[in-house]
Amino acid sequence: MDSASNDIGFAKSADGRYAAQLSEYDQRIGFDQKWLNRVHQLYKEKQTIAAANAKGYIFKGREVVKSEHGEKIQLRFAVR
């Protein structure tokens, strides 16, 4: 099967949300719900950093903290 035949995409709906467009093949080779969750997490982190920057905060770093409920991401900011 040609690799270009299974492009991954995102479509924006009327309410402004994005939905992943993934073939069954893509999902079988690793572009599954776990991958989508990671994409969503990274998008939210970038969105949070941009919003904080616009409010005058300085991004200082990102840390993964393990807890009894799993991994948690902590973003660190400082005031200008």
Side-chain angles (χ1 to χ4, degrees):
M1 179 174 272
D2 181 37
S3 63
S5 67
N6 286 295
D7 292 341
I8 295 170
F10 293 87
K12 189 174 185 178
S13 65
D15 67 1
R17 293 179 178 215
Y18 289 90
Q21 306 296 307
L22 301 168
S23 69
E24 288 181 28
Y25 174 78
D26 291 323
Q27 293 176 46
R28 282 195 313 271
I29 64 168
F31 298 103
D32 53 10
Q33 190 59 50
K34 184 177 178 181
W35 177 82
L36 277 174
N37 292 345
R38 181 75 176 125
V39 169
H40 184 254
Q41 176 187 352
L42 289 171
Y43 176 79
K44 293 301 280 181
E45 286 179 30
K46 299 283 186 189
Q47 201 175 38
T48 300
I49 292 167
N53 189 25
K55 292 180 180 181
Y57 292 95
I58 301 168
F59 178 65
K60 290 293 194 175
R62 175 188 185 274
E63 184 178 349
V64 178
V65 179
K66 295 187 189 286
S67 73
E68 61 189 41
H69 303 291
E71 292 184 345
K72 180 176 147 182
I73 305 299
Q74 290 185 340
L75 302 177
R76 301 199 186 282
F77 298 92
V79 180
R80 286 186 192 181

